[in-house]
Amino acid sequence: MSDDGESTASLAASLFAEVIISEQMARALVTRALPKGMQLSHFSVLNLLAHLNEERTPAQLAEAFHVNRSAMTNTISRLEWAGHVHVRPDWDDARRKWVGISPSGRKARDAALAAFMPRLTEVVRDIGPAEVRRALPILRRLRERLEEEA
């Protein structure tokens, strides 16, 4: 059975509508559960730094999140002001800085996870873990393909 261009375009439109709406709803669910004053971008940076457990430059963080450097600099500044990250100079290259998560940042990240993970777990339970496991490889391939376009 062959696909014609119109049915493939319709399938693409339906797929991206579902992905975009799901992304918006997931952001809203997580954002509502974040501790007061924390934004999703703040949590995302803290989560990555906690997961990696090593410092990153602002440029590396900007690239990881597909944002420009000024947006990442703003996020890092807010996290530093809140005491959630430490920013230090690069001793080998004075033009570069390194960003690492602080103990306060790790606590804030853990508190945020504790606030929204029960709801995400409930969503997965309602859909069914087996269904989610089947969807993950497809979603991962979609993300990887879109990263090639970025």
Side-chain angles (χ1 to χ4, degrees):
M1 180 177 201
S2 68
D3 269 311
D4 63 35
E6 188 175 340
S7 64
T8 301
S10 177
L11 184 60
S14 294
L15 172 66
F16 282 91
E18 291 299 330
V19 167
I20 289 167
I21 293 167
S22 295
E23 187 264 348
Q24 291 171 343
M25 302 310 295
R27 279 180 174 270
L29 184 150
V30 170
T31 299
R32 280 193 306 271
L34 290 175
K36 185 175 179 175
M38 184 180 286
Q39 296 176 14
L40 186 56
S41 60
H42 303 165
F43 169 78
S44 298
V45 170
L46 293 175
N47 195 49
L48 179 66
L49 290 171
H51 176 73
L52 297 172
N53 205 30
E54 60 183 36
E55 297 173 312
R56 288 290 188 258
T57 66
Q60 290 170 328
L61 291 170
E63 183 179 343
F65 290 103
H66 303 282
V67 298
N68 63 45
R69 288 183 188 189
S70 64
M72 184 53 63
T73 298
N74 182 45
T75 298
I76 292 167
S77 294
R78 290 172 185 252
L79 288 169
E80 185 178 29
W81 182 86
H84 296 328
V85 296
H86 298 297
V87 179
R88 69 167 182 86
D90 183 327
W91 307 119
D92 298 322
D93 182 351
R95 298 168 295 175
R96 188 167 42 188
K97 295 179 180 181
W98 289 97
V99 180
I101 192 167
S102 70
S104 167
R106 202 170 288 278
K107 284 181 188 173
R109 177 257 191 181
D110 292 348
L113 277 174
F116 66 75
M117 280 308 294
R119 182 66 183 114
L120 293 181
T121 301
E122 181 182 320
V123 169
V124 169
R125 194 172 341 169
D126 289 349
I127 293 170
E131 287 288 311
V132 173
R133 274 190 212 93
R134 280 194 293 276
L136 281 174
I138 295 165
L139 292 171
R140 193 169 291 120
R141 284 181 29 218
L142 175 63
R143 176 187 47 81
E144 290 167 351
R145 178 62 180 85
L146 292 173
E147 283 178 338
E148 293 172 10
E149 298 287 324

